[in-house]
């Protein structure tokens, strides 16, 4: 046994040195949407760090969809870090992931618009609920709102998880 | 992706490293009780957290875990004679008790008391359940004894095994909280393995291969909930607890025994994968125990006389390409335990996490790393005792339950997620 290619040899520390060294992924397009004021404060602190193109947005409110029926809001106005107003529908094309940040106790009704818009375009959604000392009822309230609208949900005790997760995801 | 400094921080557990010091806050499994079956039996070499040690059981049945090497001229005490309340080095006859205290130096006059000046490092070794546990930290900070349910139910309800895993502890442990690999790597075993098949809940797994995950923190670590659709708009939840630093429990299936793991560093390139199986309220059946001994479920078959799996990297894990083609096994490797071990060893001794491309479903892993890093640093900087040391954190259970769609499982299942003596597990 022990040809250059069998597991005995391949799994050694020595062989780990020969892993082909190159960037094995292209930059991703990540949109981080703060769903309430406290969440916006968290992302504001992060905006200044260096990211791989992550775009930080905060919710302003509903707006009429471009091709929507007049009375049904289908789109959202968002504010980017420069203060400019952006439309959700303009932000989504090409996005790999949309991360919704919400504070426990809030029930951001507009999560439904984010969730449905992403689902319609096949975009991955992740929700982070920042607990920060909130009660179980408050967490449940926010969970209830985000759950139908995010394919992955995290309840984090501390706001620092947001940065940690975005780094892990190469956002 | 993880920065190199953090990968080093989390994977290195020798004495003096932050994670090493953190592991030294816990009672950890050191040996199976069967390795020291009787008083004055042969001593056993043990390597844990990068320390070479020797375990023995003296004439009174007391257990000890001490430095492997004789302080006289460095011979291994593995050759020692275990006789009359101590382990005697066969080179020049120095003798040690279970605490590592030298109790005889034959070349020196007894009256000189010379032997009192000689003491090997020693750690307590305590039998709870099928396991001998040790605590390798400072004596004055020794925490209360562990109270994991698998180790405290009556002996006939529990079975524990261990296997050598030839890679770093963290990538092995991450497999235990990475619920999203189950539908792939272990697909096939759900229907066939005697310790899994036949549960009512299995149909939800089969109907819905794309579970949605929810990760939430617990006092001792995390819960990872995998949600699938059940009848009438309800959800089928499989909830895995992780307790720091490395305990996990697989969600139950029907009335099968519950099982899970501990990953304990041997050194930075090897770990022990401990696997337990127990039923909270009934004795294991003869067939169940036999299946566990035969290496089914989370257990493995061994190279005779060792705890190294019979399928190992020297024989390409007995790869069966035909079974892989037929879809009987997804990776070509037989058995859940070895499917995990082979894949995790293939990542290299310490996987380079600067290269990985994590996705949203990896949040359980991201959160576990986050909590480990913070706990290790809080211990280092402020002396804060890490989660999981307190026996209250150890009284956890996994659960497989059906809940209304609007419920937070952590609260709705508070009781189900607690070890409750005499109460059956919550399982469908
Ligand atoms: S698909 Fe996950 S490691 Fe390859
Ligand atoms: Fe696995």
């Amino acid at each position: 046994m022990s040809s250059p290619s069998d597991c005995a040899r391949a799994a050694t520390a020595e062989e780990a040195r020969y892993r082909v060294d190159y960037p094995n992924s292209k930059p991703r397009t990540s949109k981080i949407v703060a769903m309430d004021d406290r969440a916006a404060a968290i992302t504001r602190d992060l905006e200044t760090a260096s990211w791989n193109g992550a775009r930080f947005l905060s919710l302003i409110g509903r707006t009429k969809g471009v091709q929507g029926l007049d009375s049904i809001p289908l789109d959202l106005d968002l504010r980017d870090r420069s203060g400019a107003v952006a439309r959700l529908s303009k932000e989504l094309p090409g996005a790999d992931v949309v991360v919704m940040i919400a504070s426990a106790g809030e029930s951001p009704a507009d999560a439904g618009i984010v969730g449905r818009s992403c689902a319609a375009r096949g975009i991955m959604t992740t929700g982070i609920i920042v607990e920060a000392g909130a009660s179980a009822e408050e967490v449940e309230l926010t969970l209830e709102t985000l759950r139908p609208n995010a394919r992955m949900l995290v309840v984090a005790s501390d706001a620092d998880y947001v940065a940690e997760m975005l780094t892990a995801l190469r956002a | 992706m993880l920065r190199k400094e953090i990968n080093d921080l989390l994977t290195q557990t020798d004495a003096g490293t932050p994670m090493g010091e953190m592991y030294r806050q816990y009672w950890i499994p050191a040996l199976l009780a069967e390795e020291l079956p009787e008083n004055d039996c042969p001593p056993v070499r043990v390597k844990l957290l990068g320390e070479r040690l020797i375990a023995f059981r003296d004439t009174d049945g007391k257990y000890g875990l001490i430095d492997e090497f004789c302080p006289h001229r460095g011979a291994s005490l593995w050759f020692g004679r275990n006789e009359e309340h101590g382990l005697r080095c066969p080179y020049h006859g120095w003798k040690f008790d279970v605490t590592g205290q030298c109790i005889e130096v034959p070349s020196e006059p007894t009256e000189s008391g010379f032997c009192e000046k000689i003491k090997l490092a020693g750690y307590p070794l305590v039998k709870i359940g099928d396991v001998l546990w040790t605590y390798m930290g400072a004596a004055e900070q020794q925490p209360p004894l562990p109270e994991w349910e698998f180790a405290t139910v009556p002996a006939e309800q529990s079975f524990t095994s261990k296997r050598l895993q030839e890679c770093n502890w963290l990538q092995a442990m991450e497999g235990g909280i990475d619920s999203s690999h189950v539908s792939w790597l272990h697909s096939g075993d759900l229907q066939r393995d005697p310790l899994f098949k036949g549960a009512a809940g299995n149909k939800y797994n089969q109907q819905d291969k794309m579970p949605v995950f929810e990760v939430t923190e617990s006092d001792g670590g995390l819960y990872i909930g995998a949600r699938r659709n059940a009848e009438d708009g309800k959800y089928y939840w499989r909830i895995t607890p992780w307790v720091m630093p490395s305990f996990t429990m697989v969600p139950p299936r029907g009335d099968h025994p519950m099982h899970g793991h501990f990953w304990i560093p041997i050194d930075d390139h090897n770990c022990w994968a401990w696997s337990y199986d127990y039923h909270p309220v009934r004795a294991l059946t003869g067939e169940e125990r036999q299946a566990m001994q035969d290496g089914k479920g989370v257990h493995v078959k061994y190279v005779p006389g060792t705890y190294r799996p019979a399928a190992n990297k020297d024989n390409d894990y007995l790869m069966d390409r035909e079974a892989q083609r037929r879809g009987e096994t997804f990776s070509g490797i037989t058995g859940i335990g070895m499917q995990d071990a082979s894949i995790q060893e293939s990542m290299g001794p310490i996987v380079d996490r600067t290269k990985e491309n994590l996705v949203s479903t990896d949040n359980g892993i991201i959160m576990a790393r986050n909590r480990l890093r913070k706990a290790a640093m809080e211990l280092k900087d402020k002396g804060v005792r890490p989660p999981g040391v307190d026996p209250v954190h150890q009284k956890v259970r996994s659960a497989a339950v059906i809940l209304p769609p609007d419920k937070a499982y952590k609260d709705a299942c508070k009781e189900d997620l607690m070890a409750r003596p005499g109460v059956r597990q919550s399982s469908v």
Side-chain angles (χ1 to χ4, degrees):
Chain A
M1 275 268 135
S2 208
S3 78
S5 64
D6 67 26
C7 291
R9 190 63 185 272
T12 58
E14 231 138 67
E15 287 298 307
R17 279 202 301 131
Y18 297 109
R19 292 195 171 206
V20 188
D21 191 17
Y22 66 104
N24 62 6
S25 61
K26 294 201 181 109
R28 305 181 186 179
T29 306
S30 316
K31 311 280 175 176
I32 295 88
V33 185
M35 304 300 291
D36 55 69
D37 292 347
R38 277 177 292 158
I42 295 166
T43 55
R44 210 170 302 123
D45 291 342
L46 299 180
E47 285 168 7
T48 47
S50 82
W51 299 99
N52 301 309
R55 206 160 135 72
F56 292 90
L57 303 156
S58 54
L59 205 60
I60 301 176
R62 297 180 176 201
T63 176
K64 281 177 191 148
V66 207
Q67 77 282 59
L69 304 168
D70 298 323
S71 57
I72 303 176
L74 286 176
D75 211 342
L76 293 175
D77 275 337
L78 306 161
R79 198 180 311 281
D80 74 9
R81 58 206 273 187
S82 72
V85 175
R87 274 280 163 87
L88 180 69
S89 58
K90 296 269 160 45
E91 291 290 331
L92 291 186
D96 296 299
V97 66
V98 170
V99 181
M100 286 175 262
I101 319 282
S103 312
E106 305 287 341
S107 78
D110 294 337
I113 299 180
V114 179
R116 280 197 301 277
S117 307
C118 289
R121 293 171 171 86
I123 297 168
M124 182 70 192
T125 41
T126 296
I128 302 182
I129 298 171
V130 180
E131 207 172 351
S135 68
E137 292 72 43
E138 289 174 308
V139 172
E140 192 156 73
L141 177 71
T142 314
L143 255 181
E144 222 184 300
T145 323
L146 282 198
R147 188 177 272 159
N149 299 302
R151 297 204 47 79
M152 172 82 219
L153 263 182
V154 182
V155 183
S157 60
D158 203 299
D160 72 351
Y161 184 69
V162 177
E164 189 117 342
M165 190 205 76
L166 294 176
T167 306
L169 295 193
R170 298 177 184 273
Chain B
M1 197 275 293
L2 198 65
R3 293 207 316 276
K4 181 175 183 306
E5 317 82 83
I6 302 180
N7 199 28
D8 291 347
L9 176 96
L10 296 181
T11 53
Q12 297 171 359
T13 57
D14 284 0
T17 61
M19 260 322 281
E21 291 310 306
M22 189 163 121
Y23 256 104
R24 285 167 175 78
Q25 299 287 307
Y26 298 92
W27 284 97
I28 54 174
L31 298 95
L32 279 163
E34 67 182 25
E35 295 179 75
L36 295 175
E38 56 194 24
N39 297 352
D40 288 332
C41 62
V44 177
R45 273 191 288 242
V46 178
K47 190 179 183 192
L48 286 176
L49 309 180
E51 296 186 34
R52 291 274 302 260
L53 304 164
I54 199 102
F56 71 106
R57 177 169 168 180
D58 78 3
T59 315
D60 298 329
K62 280 188 278 192
Y63 295 100
L65 184 64
I66 62 175
D67 182 356
E68 180 188 338
F69 299 101
C70 180
H72 179 211
R73 291 187 46 225
S76 170
L77 292 169
W78 182 73
F79 293 94
R81 294 175 56 93
N82 191 3
E83 54 181 33
E84 289 160 33
H85 309 100
L87 187 63
R88 192 185 291 282
C89 179
Y91 207 178
H92 308 92
W94 292 27
K95 188 171 171 181
F96 305 90
D97 72 10
V98 288
T99 69
Q101 178 61 50
C102 182
I103 49 175
E104 226 184 293
V105 175
S107 63
E108 303 296 304
T110 319
E111 309 76 55
S112 76
F114 175 74
C115 68
E116 285 159 28
K117 300 197 165 137
I118 308 287
K119 165 96 170 64
L120 287 167
Y123 304 117
L125 192 63
V126 178
K127 180 178 182 302
I128 300 173
D130 298 333
V131 179
L132 300 180
W133 305 78
T134 191
Y135 163 74
M136 293 170 65
E140 62 278 10
Q141 280 160 28
Q142 182 174 313
L145 290 170
E147 295 185 24
W148 305 100
E149 190 174 35
F150 79 92
T152 51
V153 292
E156 64 274 14
Q157 292 173 214
S158 189
F159 177 89
T160 308
S161 71
K162 68 172 193 180
R163 63 175 160 78
L164 175 67
Q165 182 155 339
E166 298 172 62
C167 70
N168 185 261
W169 77 278
L170 184 64
Q171 69 211 50
M173 190 276 280
E174 287 177 349
I177 45 183
D178 164 22
S179 306
S180 75
H181 80 275
V182 179
S183 325
W184 298 97
L185 187 62
H186 307 312
S187 62
D189 296 84
L190 220 52
Q191 294 100 298
R192 262 193 315 279
D193 194 291
L195 296 169
F196 295 95
K197 66 181 184 192
N202 290 1
K203 69 166 184 271
Y204 304 118
N205 282 74
Q206 268 129 28
Q207 284 161 7
D208 189 350
K209 302 251 182 228
M210 282 275 281
V212 178
F213 295 99
E214 263 180 49
V215 177
T216 177
E217 292 177 62
S218 65
D219 293 338
L222 292 181
Y223 293 117
I224 298 106
R227 182 185 99 202
R228 292 178 170 83
N229 294 319
E231 294 82 6
D232 308 325
K234 293 194 175 132
Y235 292 134
Y236 169 64
W237 285 97
R238 295 183 59 73
I239 307 162
T240 303
W242 168 70
V243 181
M244 290 170 70
S246 64
F247 172 93
T248 62
M249 191 161 178
V250 178
R253 293 196 183 276
D255 192 47
H256 288 303
M258 309 177 76
H259 50 261
H261 306 277
F262 260 113
W263 287 273
I264 303 298
I266 295 172
D267 53 34
D268 292 345
H269 289 180
N270 295 279
C271 65
W272 286 117
W274 286 83
S275 303
Y276 59 83
D277 237 308
Y278 75 101
H279 198 290
V281 296
R282 65 160 170 85
L284 302 179
T285 65
E287 294 88 77
E288 284 169 347
R289 194 171 286 277
Q290 190 60 49
M292 292 166 195
Q293 277 158 357
D294 292 345
K296 301 284 193 236
V298 289
H299 308 281
V300 301
K301 287 197 187 78
Y302 300 118
V303 173
T306 75
Y307 293 102
R308 191 180 193 216
N312 57 56
K313 63 181 182 176
D314 290 333
N315 53 29
D316 280 342
Y317 306 96
L318 306 174
M319 166 61 78
D320 183 347
R321 293 290 182 194
E322 278 309 311
Q324 186 179 32
R325 193 163 298 139
R326 286 194 302 271
E328 253 167 67
T329 58
F330 202 73
S331 71
I333 306 303
T334 304
I336 288 165
M338 283 323 298
Q339 286 159 1
D340 285 324
S342 55
I343 279 290
Q344 291 155 6
E345 290 180 7
S346 82
M347 297 157 89
I350 303 179
V351 68
D352 180 357
R353 292 181 175 77
T354 66
K355 293 260 169 55
E356 61 187 14
N357 284 282
L358 298 186
V359 291
S360 296
T361 48
D362 294 315
N363 261 287
I365 289 173
I366 300 169
M367 180 63 98
R369 293 176 187 173
N370 172 271
R371 292 214 63 181
L372 286 169
R373 177 182 60 77
K374 284 208 271 193
M377 294 319 290
E378 292 217 323
L379 171 66
K380 180 169 182 272
D381 297 338
K382 297 183 221 140
V384 176
R385 179 172 270 198
V389 173
D390 186 336
V392 170
H393 298 171
Q394 300 164 4
K395 294 183 175 170
V396 294
R397 273 188 195 168
S398 57
V401 291
I402 293 181
L403 292 179
D406 56 343
K407 289 283 172 237
Y409 67 76
K410 183 176 154 184
D411 300 304
C413 300
K414 208 176 201 118
E415 306 258 285
D416 311 87
L417 295 169
M418 259 161 41
R420 290 164 298 159
V423 179
R424 192 186 171 273
Q425 69 271 38
S426 302
S427 175
V428 281

